[in-house]
């Protein structure tokens, strides 16, 4: 005989798995401490300034 499946339980389990996956993604995106965020921002600023310093001409000089 075939196994009887409760569709409500199946849907709830599927939704719960989707929510857990979304929560894991959010932990990666939003789970960094403030110190790590500010450090990354400072590194980005330093890198962009370094890149600008290597330009031969300024963008407004043409």
């Amino acid at each position: 005989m075939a196994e009887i499946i409760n569709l409500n339980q199946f849907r709830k389990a599927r939704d719960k798995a989707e929510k857990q996956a979304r929560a894991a993604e959010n932990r990666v995106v939003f789970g960094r401490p403030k110190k790590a965020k500010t450090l990354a921002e400072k590194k980005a600023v330093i890198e962009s300034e370094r890149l600008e310093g290597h330009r031969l001409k300024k963008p407004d000089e043409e």
Side-chain angles (χ1 to χ4, degrees), residues 16-37:
K16 186 176 181 180
E18 289 174 2
K19 285 181 182 179
Q20 287 176 347
R22 193 174 321 121
E25 291 173 4
N26 285 339
R27 281 193 296 273
V28 170
V29 174
F30 300 108
R32 296 187 305 161
K34 185 174 183 177
K35 189 173 183 178
K37 290 177 189 177

Side-chain angles (χ1 to χ4, degrees), residues 5-56:
I5 301 173
N6 186 338
L7 293 179
N8 286 330
Q9 289 178 347
F10 177 76
R11 288 184 194 114
K12 286 181 181 181
R14 181 192 61 203
D15 292 343
K16 186 176 181 180
E18 289 174 2
K19 285 181 182 179
Q20 287 176 347
R22 193 174 321 121
E25 291 173 4
N26 285 339
R27 281 193 296 273
V28 170
V29 174
F30 300 108
R32 296 187 305 161
K34 185 174 183 177
K35 189 173 183 178
K37 290 177 189 177
T38 57
L39 181 64
E41 289 173 3
K42 287 179 183 178
K43 284 183 179 181
V45 168
I46 291 171
E47 185 64 25
S48 66
E49 288 175 355
R50 187 186 67 79
L51 186 61
E52 281 294 320
H54 285 86
R55 284 188 184 259
L56 297 177

